[in-house]
Amino acid sequence: MSKHILILGGGYGGLLSALSAREHFGAAAKITLINRFPTHQIITELHRLAAGNIAEKAVALPLDKLLRGANVDLRIGNVKEIKPDERSVSLDDGGNFTYDALVIALGSETAFFGIPGLQENSFILKSVNDANRLRAHVESRIAEYSKTKNKADATIVVGGGGLTGVELVGEYADMRSELARKYGIDPEEITLYCVEAAPSILPGFPAELVDRATTSLQKRGVNFLTGLPITKMDGTTVELKDGSTFETSTLVWTGGVQGNSVVANCGIEVNRGRAVVNEFLQSASHPDVYVAGDSAVVMGPEGRPYPPTAQLAWQMGELIGYNIFAQLNGGAPASFTPVFSGTLGSLGRKDAIGTIGANKTQLKGLPATLMKEASNMRYLSHINGLFTLAY
Ligand code: NAD
């Protein structure tokens, strides 16, 4: 009987694992991919959807179409429990699966760090649904503000000044004039904040690029509150570490990510909720389980974990497809040696920053914007997803 490869998650790591496994096995294995949405979501572009700057179908690609040529069974469902010792997986809807090799690629979850009221009173940006919800909410608040002039309704706060927060606030900066025009108010009446706990936004980025990002966004109306962690969210009141408070109807929390709880609690070896893997991306405790993307923690040569990024998840997925083939056919697995092409962050529609290449060449403005667009196109072309584009 042919072996069964079960892949959990249809994001970057899961989709690429499926495509790679199919390429290596041909028809010699049954491959099933389980995802909670019927779409492969380009989560690196969600900030654009949240601001209405991109069509939903450009960031939500139908998995059945992407997988059709690969002949992978697609199952839509939410993974409830993984039992690695029994080689079984169950879904919320009662579905049950067994496997010969498992790929866990369930991504990460938003970390709220136990900050009182934060989870209950904030928006997150982890899926197409989150982005759509946020967009509708912001519009409805500005519409309300135009009638009541309640300042909180025209105040948008992004909590966290990492790449997610900065890219989102950049979209809001560009969206301000359009929104104001639509609802007959002055753009200056819409207040934008980005609150960052560290002394500056984009911790870890070269100082010159941080300055560029800060200046570019400030010029378009973004107020930065740095060195000031959010300590509480009480209804519509944001409280900062210095005790100051302000009112907002829209707090978007982008303050960090943590391991997926299904993975953290399933009994495989984890480090802070993320699966510990060996050089072949096999679970350190269960060699028939492979882990791709944010669900795994991969240590770099300096003993520090690599950041959880889409480009890493993509590369992990591709290797896993091959390594499962090698494992099930008695071949030699290959080690994971990530290639870093760079990090690029948009600052709205027309500005961006980033570093590219091994020597981290700095890019700003148009070259960075074009490079970010090119890297997105390269990915879509790689997964044969360009036909779904609708800008
Ligand atoms: P992050 O962890 O990189 O950034 C979160 C930020 O929130 C940090 O700067 C942190 O200091 C701040 N923060 C934490 N607690 C806070 C508090 N109480 N109040 C205010 N600020 C607080 O998270 P992210 O931005 O979601 O990124 C997650 C990963 O995804 C990173 O590895 C990132 O590089 C990657 N990413 C990449 C891109 C891209 O390549 N364009 C885009 C988005 C995310």
Side-chain angles (χ1 to χ4, degrees):
M1 215 171 77
S2 70
K3 301 286 188 189
H4 184 208
I5 300 165
L6 183 61
I7 299 170
L8 310 181
Y12 300 93
L15 176 64
L16 271 301
S17 296
L19 296 174
S20 165
R22 175 51 77 218
E23 186 188 326
H24 293 292
F25 280 96
K30 175 177 161 61
I31 303 174
T32 308
L33 185 147
I34 300 174
N35 196 40
R36 64 190 160 135
F37 308 120
T39 52
H40 172 63
Q41 306 197 343
I42 310 297
I43 56 172
T44 53
E45 296 293 304
L46 288 180
H47 52 285
R48 295 172 76 183
L49 183 64
N53 289 336
I54 200 170
E56 180 173 327
K57 58 181 169 178
V59 295
L61 283 55
L63 272 166
D64 57 348
K65 290 203 174 120
L66 295 175
L67 292 169
R68 187 173 295 149
N71 198 17
V72 171
D73 289 343
L74 174 64
R75 172 72 151 80
I76 307 305
N78 204 34
V79 175
K80 184 168 112 188
E81 194 175 12
I82 303 167
K83 291 187 176 165
D85 293 329
E86 295 172 21
R87 291 189 170 182
S88 74
V89 169
S90 59
L91 308 186
D92 277 347
D93 61 15
N96 268 297
F97 295 81
T98 56
Y99 59 82
D100 295 292
L102 178 71
V103 181
I104 301 178
L106 291 170
S108 57
E109 291 173 0
T110 299
F112 293 97
F113 305 118
I115 298 170
L118 188 58
Q119 186 163 3
E120 301 86 324
N121 297 303
S122 66
F123 290 81
I124 57 170
L125 193 58
K126 295 283 282 177
S127 70
V128 164
N129 287 349
D130 293 338
N132 283 333
R133 198 175 305 127
L134 187 51
R135 183 181 170 196
H137 172 82
V138 167
E139 280 235 13
S140 78
R141 289 305 87 205
I142 300 297
E144 186 67 13
Y145 171 82
S146 69
K147 292 180 230 148
T148 64
K149 298 287 171 182
N150 171 14
K151 189 74 190 132
D153 283 331
T155 302
I156 302 171
V157 182
V158 174
L163 270 170
T164 307
V166 165
E167 290 195 315
L168 180 63
V169 85
E171 296 296 321
Y172 283 140
D174 284 353
M175 185 191 174
R176 221 160 60 125
S177 306
E178 267 163 54
L179 259 185
R181 201 175 319 118
K182 186 166 174 186
Y183 294 100
I185 61 173
D186 189 316
E188 298 291 320
E189 290 176 79
I190 301 175
T191 306
L192 299 177
Y193 283 108
C194 179
V195 186
E196 167 56 51
S200 80
I201 58 165
L202 299 174
F205 258 68
E208 212 181 324
L209 296 182
V210 172
D211 286 349
R212 165 59 179 250
T214 306
T215 315
S216 168
L217 293 167
Q218 277 172 337
K219 271 190 206 152
R220 282 176 284 143
V222 177
N223 301 287
F224 288 104
L225 300 174
T226 52
L228 279 173
I230 292 176
T231 49
K232 193 175 173 187
M233 181 68 187
D234 190 358
T236 55
T237 309
V238 184
E239 190 179 299
L240 306 179
K241 196 176 177 193
D242 64 359
S244 61
T245 59
F246 59 96
E247 294 294 314
T248 180
S249 302
T250 311
L251 170 65
V252 193
W253 178 245
T254 67
V257 293
Q258 64 186 23
N260 187 293
S261 47
V262 173
V263 182
N265 301 321
C266 79
I268 62 172
E269 187 178 334
V270 292
N271 178 350
R272 295 183 182 189
R274 295 167 72 197
V276 179
V277 291
N278 64 16
E279 66 200 292
F280 309 122
L281 304 179
Q282 280 165 301
S283 155
S285 57
H286 292 75
D288 49 359
V289 176
Y290 290 77
V291 193
D294 295 10
S295 294
V297 57
V298 183
M299 291 297 174
E302 289 155 18
R304 288 220 309 268
Y306 289 122
T309 62
Q311 60 175 309
L312 221 63
W314 164 2
Q315 294 173 34
M316 291 167 85
E318 295 216 308
L319 182 73
I320 285 173
Y322 168 73
N323 277 351
I324 293 176
F325 178 73
Q327 185 184 25
L328 296 182
N329 289 286
S335 298
F336 183 56
T337 44
V339 178
F340 292 99
S341 49
T343 305
L344 294 153
S346 66
L347 306 169
R349 290 171 214 173
K350 292 183 184 157
D351 201 5
I353 45 148
T355 58
I356 54 161
N359 54 357
K360 300 205 167 175
T361 305
Q362 294 184 13
L363 293 184
K364 297 171 222 162
L366 187 63
T369 303
L370 294 177
M371 194 57 93
K372 185 156 167 43
E373 198 63 28
S375 87
N376 192 28
M377 291 297 155
R378 180 169 157 255
Y379 176 69
L380 291 174
S381 142
H382 187 73
I383 59 167
N384 204 15
L386 276 173
F387 67 92
T388 61
L389 277 192
Y391 280 85

